Amino acid sequence: MVDLSRDDVAHLASLARIDLTDAELDTMVGELGQIISSVEAVQQAPIDAVEPMSHPMPITNVTRPDEVRPSLTPEEALAGAPDSELSRFAVPRILTED
Amino acid sequence: MSDPTRMTAAALADALASGDLSSEQVTRAHLDRIEGVDETIGAYLHVSGDSALAEARAVDERRAKGEDLHRLAGVPIAVKDVMTTTGIPTTAGSRMLEGWVPPYDATVVGKLKAAGLPILGKTNMDEFAMGSSTERSAFGLTRNPWDLDRIPGGSGGGSSAVVASWQAPFATGTDTGGSIRQPAALTGSVGVKPTYGAMSRYGLIAMASSLDQAGPCARTVLDTALLHEVMAGHDPLDSTSIDAPVPDVVGAARRADVAGMKVGIVKELTGEGFAPQVQARFDEAVQHLVDAGAEVVEVSCPNFVYALGAYYLIMPSEASSNLARFDAMRYGLRVAPEGVDAPSAEQVMAASRDAGFGDEVKRRIILGTYALSSGYYDAYYGSAQKVRRLIADDFATAFEVADVLVSPTAPTTAFRFGEKTDDPMAMYRGDIATIPANLAGIPGMSLPSGLAEDGLPAGFQVLAPAMADDRLYTVGAALEQRLVSAWGGHLLEQAPELATTKGA
């Protein structure tokens, strides 16, 4: 079992920008420890000198000419926005006093 | 003319072409069926009856004018709710996207529309495609038509259940670790995960980008092939989409000739860990292939034992990155944190993500955050990527001696609701036979192999090398012919009749 503390999980949750309740934290500590203990078996595989594979197919960068093409209108792009103002996304304050 | 909801997509296409049925009749029959039984099954999240009927009438008019139409024009379809659809809400089974109506169509949805397939609605799924049981949808579970106390598989349980309960002739799905094949196995239907990159991912709400793959769900191998053909092809909007001709999957399904083919049984995906009755149906199916002229060889893929670990590191790592887009700023749920005056964007983000995501999604995001964090990256994500290479190499070696590989699709038949919800690893182990194909990017199919002693369907999986998707259809169709003949009809005909709650 991986030694993952409640504080560790709370820190991970803050990195992932998810507020967890105390009850959620309690449940998650045990479950994550169990999952990590199971998946860390990958370290037992014969992986010395093996080239990592991030993707099933060889990936090449794809570019296109820089030209104007049809796209969403501002109204369409903003249609799902929680809040908007003057054809722009309205967001909560970004700068804090810290 | 028989009930349109009991006909295959291929038969419906023929009846529409000959004028025996109109698309409006066919679409209306399916909408009536949905109204009658879906309250019991819970497979549809949104039914788009009006737009489906409008499209059906438009196709009928074009056909009446003698226009040259796609061979499936007018055959209605259901779409997994992970694919964006203009005019129909798209939620991916999450509160985070409740009520969202996308401003664009996924490329595969655009292809369905261009071919004239009326969209009946959107099908239920585990939230953001995370789950193996469709118990993880924020909008309620979907039931297995064979036994209403059991799961239909996941994450595409809605798509397989609509097909298995005669609510659509076929449906779209997505498969990241088995989400098309495992539900197909558990509901007695057919599901295909094509070669990675063979179908566009543009407009699919991403879970794990190097693993996610769209594909078809249907009741027969030929219907799956017909839908595969519509959905496949290069898309300039998806930089991982393969720019190569689509194999002739429909021709392969019609040919169904396995004489001389070498079928490899993957030693690591049989026997121990698989329920005896699932294994027995698998063994019988292999014998059918031998009777049809195939040669059987045993192959070993020794690194598959590490596949589950690699998958449950790579998938959450990519998911944690992909789901960062749900930040409550441009779309989706926005929740203000309690007791905070003028909260910051960061506080709103964290409160919204707590309120909008379900437990499984949170668990995977946090697991991925852990696996990618400095100090653990090499031990977890780095090792998993190396294992991924070993698994691809195992497949390459196996395909040197076999044209296709076979195994049971899932270790057991459908389990009961709640049976595995408190034990994530028990749930994850159900994907043991399907995950290797996603890690390597190769295509796979599940088709029914028969009923276990509990009266529930078992699945038979066929795997082929990348870009050889046509082989799945050749083998699948040959096996299906023999099994249907042995059963005296399609397996789904043996499923219990569903009580009609209203409407039809």
Side-chain angles (χ1 to χ4, degrees):
Chain A
M1 192 77 171
V2 172
D3 188 21
L4 198 66
S5 72
R6 203 168 179 281
D7 285 348
D8 292 336
V9 177
H11 177 60
L12 289 166
S14 74
L15 289 175
R17 303 275 184 271
I18 303 176
D19 281 342
L20 291 182
T21 63
D22 287 345
E24 284 177 319
L25 267 177
D26 291 338
T27 313
M28 195 131 355
V29 173
E31 287 173 347
L32 282 178
Q34 190 201 357
I35 295 168
I36 293 164
S37 296
S38 299
V39 297
E40 67 186 358
V42 293
Q43 294 166 39
Q44 312 305 317
I47 51 175
D48 291 344
V50 173
E51 191 68 20
M53 180 174 145
S54 66
H55 205 267
M57 299 291 160
I59 296 275
T60 50
N61 196 15
V62 178
T63 60
R64 64 172 176 83
D66 184 15
E67 58 195 21
V68 177
R69 296 198 305 199
S71 65
L72 299 180
T73 63
E75 292 73 28
E76 287 169 331
L78 287 165
D83 194 9
S84 65
E85 202 177 306
L86 302 171
S87 287
R88 291 171 175 82
F89 294 101
V91 302
R93 66 192 172 93
I94 303 290
L95 299 176
T96 59
E97 286 161 9
D98 306 335
Chain B
M1 183 55 66
S2 50
D3 176 358
T5 64
R6 293 274 167 162
M7 294 166 68
T8 64
L12 287 171
D14 289 345
L16 289 168
S18 66
D20 289 343
L21 283 172
S22 70
S23 177
E24 186 174 353
Q25 284 174 303
V26 172
T27 304
R28 203 177 282 283
H30 283 94
L31 291 170
D32 288 346
R33 174 74 181 167
I34 294 166
E35 200 186 347
V37 302
D38 200 50
E39 199 172 297
T40 302
I41 299 292
Y44 279 99
L45 288 180
H46 321 280
V47 177
S48 45
D50 290 345
S51 60
L53 284 169
E55 174 61 20
R57 283 190 285 266
V59 169
D60 288 338
E61 282 170 25
R62 289 169 59 200
R63 185 168 270 123
K65 284 186 201 154
E67 279 186 39
D68 191 18
L69 300 176
H70 188 278
R71 64 173 146 194
L72 291 178
V75 181
I77 188 165
V79 172
K80 187 176 180 182
D81 203 34
V82 78
M83 295 172 173
T84 59
T85 43
T86 53
I88 313 174
T90 300
T91 66
S94 181
R95 294 264 173 238
M96 192 58 99
L97 284 174
E98 190 168 9
W100 183 56
V101 182
Y104 66 105
D105 280 321
T107 295
V108 288
V109 170
K111 283 170 178 274
L112 302 176
K113 289 185 174 176
L117 278 68
I119 294 173
L120 294 165
K122 305 293 288 291
T123 58
N124 200 11
M125 56 185 282
D126 286 301
E127 182 176 6
F128 290 111
M130 297 183 190
S132 307
S133 64
T134 315
E135 294 168 288
R136 298 280 185 197
S137 166
F139 305 110
L141 46 79
T142 297
R143 296 177 184 279
N144 191 319
W146 287 83
D147 180 342
L148 300 175
D149 293 332
R150 291 177 191 264
I151 61 128
S155 66
S159 285
S160 60
V162 296
V163 166
S165 59
W166 316 96
Q167 297 189 71
F170 46 24
T172 65
T174 55
D175 190 313
T176 304
S179 289
I180 291 176
R181 290 164 288 160
Q182 179 254 17
L186 271 41
T187 58
S189 56
V190 183
V192 173
K193 180 202 102 67
T195 296
Y196 178 83
M199 292 179 187
S200 173
R201 287 187 300 106
Y202 179 78
L204 271 53
I205 296 168
M207 170 165 57
S209 304
S210 79
L211 303 162
D212 295 347
Q213 181 55 58
C217 313
R219 289 191 288 265
T220 69
V221 173
L222 176 60
D223 283 1
T224 324
L226 288 164
L227 182 53
H228 184 126
E229 190 184 63
V230 179
M231 295 170 71
H234 179 243
D235 179 11
L237 297 175
D238 173 2
S239 65
T240 58
S241 136
I242 296 171
D243 192 2
V246 179
D248 180 13
V249 291
V250 174
R254 292 196 199 278
R255 213 162 36 246
D257 179 10
V258 292
M261 276 184 95
K262 286 194 175 160
V263 174
I265 296 178
V266 186
K267 196 175 76 174
E268 288 76 11
L269 298 183
T270 52
E272 197 187 342
F274 289 84
Q277 284 278 311
V278 170
Q279 182 68 38
R281 296 294 87 76
F282 171 75
D283 294 339
E284 289 158 15
V286 169
Q287 187 55 49
H288 278 295
L289 288 174
V290 172
D291 294 344
E295 184 188 334
V296 170
V297 290
E298 188 181 83
V299 299
S300 177
C301 295
N303 294 297
F304 278 18
V305 63
Y306 306 110
L308 200 64
Y311 176 82
Y312 277 99
L313 285 164
I314 292 169
M315 175 272 295
S317 296
E318 294 187 10
S320 69
S321 168
N322 272 321
L323 270 63
R325 75 191 62 190
F326 297 100
D327 59 6
M329 297 299 129
R330 291 145 299 150
Y331 56 92
L333 185 72
R334 181 181 287 182
V335 170
E338 276 178 39
V340 183
D341 286 335
S344 68
E346 210 166 272
Q347 289 170 317
V348 169
M349 206 180 288
S352 301
R353 286 162 67 81
D354 181 45
F357 290 145
D359 294 344
E360 181 67 24
V361 174
K362 288 176 190 168
R363 188 157 55 217
R364 293 195 193 189
I365 290 175
I366 290 172
L367 179 60
T369 305
Y370 177 71
L372 292 175
S373 58
S374 67
Y376 297 107
Y377 182 94
D378 286 338
Y380 294 125
Y381 186 68
S383 298
Q385 284 197 322
K386 291 178 180 179
V387 167
R388 187 172 192 173
R389 170 85 57 196
L390 294 176
I391 286 161
D393 290 348
D394 275 1
F395 272 124
T397 305
F399 284 124
E400 282 174 15
V401 295
D403 298 306
V404 293
L405 304 176
V406 295
S407 78
T409 311
T412 64
T413 56
F415 50 87
R416 286 192 170 80
F417 289 108
E419 213 174 301
K420 297 189 181 178
T421 40
D422 294 334
D423 184 354
M425 283 316 299
M427 185 78 90
Y428 296 172
R429 275 191 290 272
D431 302 333
I432 197 124
T434 49
I435 277 172
N438 299 80
L439 289 169
I442 65 164
M445 168 186 284
S446 178
L447 70 154
S449 58
L451 301 180
E453 60 192 357
D454 54 13
L456 297 168
F460 184 90
Q461 179 174 238
V462 190
L463 303 168
M467 301 307 290
D469 303 52
D470 48 340
R471 288 187 205 168
L472 305 177
Y473 290 96
T474 301
V475 174
L479 178 57
E480 179 182 64
Q481 272 178 13
R482 292 197 165 245
L483 288 170
V484 167
S485 162
W487 298 329
H490 198 284
L491 191 71
L492 278 171
E493 301 287 354
Q494 297 180 38
E497 281 295 327
L498 293 169
T500 301
T501 52
K502 59 183 174 187

